[in-house]
């Protein structure tokens, strides 16, 4: 056995016994987008067949989450998104989740274990996700009332985190 292979195996063994406190945790913050480009408009249907256009949300703060049922961090963050929705809907902040590449049957099965009340839209052919600056799943954007991309979050988040919610609420004043 060569030394580099031995070191690799040792690191792998140590990583497997690392305490949970060293495990990767979901991100907490939001990354401001300096240029704040206009959010690409789209029209998608939800799992009930209702049509949604992004432009219908103009004038409101909107959280747009790109996700898939096969994505572990997407599944992990969905309950916190529902809790955030319950807190934010009274503040007139909107939330939608755009599923990438799946159909209503798969999404409906997913919601049996992860029930949500905000709209779950279907980007079956991935044309919408391709128009947005998505960097893997999940990627979430916060769109300001002017329709511009203000913040991005790549990877899972605890969306009901108080600091994160204050950043989102802060966009209402713009």
């Amino acid at each position: 056995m060569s030394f580099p292979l031995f070191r690799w195996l040792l690191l792998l063994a140590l990583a497997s016994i690392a305490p949970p406190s060293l495990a990767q945790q979901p991100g907490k913050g939001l990354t401001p987008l300096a240029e704040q480009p206009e959010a690409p408009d789209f029209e998608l249907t939800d799992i009930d067949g209702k049509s949604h256009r992004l432009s219908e949300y103009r004038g409101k703060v909107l959280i747009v989450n790109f996700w898939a049922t096969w994505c572990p961090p997407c599944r992990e963050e969905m309950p916190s998104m529902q809790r955030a929705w319950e807190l934010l809907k009274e503040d007139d902040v909107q939330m939608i989740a755009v599923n990438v590449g799946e159909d209503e049957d798969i999404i409906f099965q997913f919601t049996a274990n992860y029930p949500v009340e905000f709209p779950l839209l279907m980007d079956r052919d991935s044309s919408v996700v391709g128009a947005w600056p998505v960097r893997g799943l999940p990627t979430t954007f916060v769109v300001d009332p002017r329709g511009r991309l203000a913040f991005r979050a790549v990877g899972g988040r605890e969306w009901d985190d108080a600091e994160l919610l204050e950043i989102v609420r802060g966009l209402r004043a713009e």
Side-chain angles (χ1 to χ4, degrees):
M1 178 184 304
S2 70
F3 182 71
L5 178 60
F6 175 74
R7 275 192 357 195
W8 183 85
L9 290 173
L10 179 63
L11 287 173
L12 185 61
L14 289 173
S16 68
I17 60 170
S21 63
L22 295 179
Q24 184 176 1
Q25 300 296 317
K28 283 191 70 133
L30 297 172
T31 302
L33 296 174
E35 296 180 20
Q36 294 191 346
E38 186 156 337
D41 198 11
F42 59 75
E43 183 172 1
L44 294 171
T45 57
D46 63 24
I47 61 175
D48 295 321
K50 182 182 175 198
S51 181
H52 296 258
R53 286 193 71 87
L54 182 75
S55 56
E56 294 170 356
Y57 297 94
R58 184 71 49 97
K60 299 177 188 269
V61 176
L62 174 66
I63 297 171
V64 181
N65 173 258
F66 289 91
W67 70 288
T69 63
W70 51 261
C71 163
C74 301
R75 289 193 309 267
E76 290 171 20
E77 79 174 352
M78 198 59 75
S80 74
M81 292 194 83
Q82 174 60 32
R83 292 188 303 269
W85 168 245
E86 291 167 6
L87 296 168
L88 292 171
K89 66 184 176 182
E90 299 301 321
D91 295 334
D92 206 25
V93 174
Q94 302 296 308
M95 180 182 291
I96 57 177
V98 178
N99 178 277
V100 179
E102 298 175 305
D103 64 28
E104 60 269 1
D105 291 338
I106 293 170
I107 299 167
F108 183 76
Q109 291 174 5
F110 172 83
T111 60
N113 294 320
Y114 301 91
V116 297
E117 297 171 4
F118 53 88
L120 298 177
L121 312 182
M122 296 176 293
D123 182 16
R124 295 177 196 207
D125 64 0
S126 302
S127 60
V128 172
V129 72
W132 286 61
V134 171
R135 303 254 174 103
L137 298 179
T139 296
T140 306
F141 296 91
V142 182
V143 181
D144 71 17
R146 297 174 296 150
R148 302 200 173 275
L149 302 178
F151 295 97
R152 175 174 46 204
V154 178
R157 295 289 184 276
E158 287 297 325
W159 284 96
D160 56 341
D161 176 76
E163 291 177 30
L164 191 146
L165 292 177
E166 283 309 307
I167 293 170
V168 171
R169 287 180 179 117
L171 288 174
R172 292 177 304 169
E174 291 187 8

